[in-house]
Amino acid sequence: VDAMTDVNEMFKKAAELKQRALAISDHGTLASWHDARKASLKYGVKFLPACEAYFVDSVKEPKQKRRHIVLIASNEKGYRN
């Protein structure tokens, strides 16, 4: 775990700062999706679900450096992709 943050507090602060959207990412999962979606609706700040994914050059080479990329869905189509 890189950080443990209360998503409710994050959306509350985003609303106070008049941010229109907030991306929340998890390592390899969408574990915070449910709580973030509820907070998003409560505070009127758009939730952008995100996931920190890992990629390699070839799945056939077992001992290679994994790299990180954050995938952010800006709408339902992006989420489904």
Side-chain angles (χ1 to χ4, degrees):
V1 175
D2 282 347
M4 301 259 324
T5 306
D6 182 346
V7 292
N8 199 55
E9 289 298 317
M10 292 176 71
F11 278 95
K12 180 180 178 182
K13 185 65 170 181
E16 290 170 4
L17 296 172
K18 301 193 185 322
Q19 287 181 245
R20 296 183 319 189
L22 181 63
I24 303 291
S25 67
D26 292 308
H27 274 280
T29 72
L30 294 172
S32 66
W33 193 93
H34 180 71
D35 292 337
R37 180 74 178 138
K38 283 179 19 182
S40 168
L41 295 172
K42 179 178 179 179
Y43 292 104
V45 176
K46 182 179 179 179
F47 168 45
L48 301 173
C51 179
E52 183 178 353
Y54 310 94
F55 66 99
V56 294
D57 293 324
S58 171
V59 294
K60 295 179 181 180
E61 296 177 33
K63 294 193 178 207
Q64 60 182 304
K65 184 177 180 180
R66 294 186 307 166
R67 291 173 281 177
H68 297 228
I69 186 170
V70 176
L71 307 171
I72 302 173
S74 62
N75 56 35
E76 187 173 343
K77 183 177 180 180
Y79 174 75
R80 295 201 179 278
N81 281 329

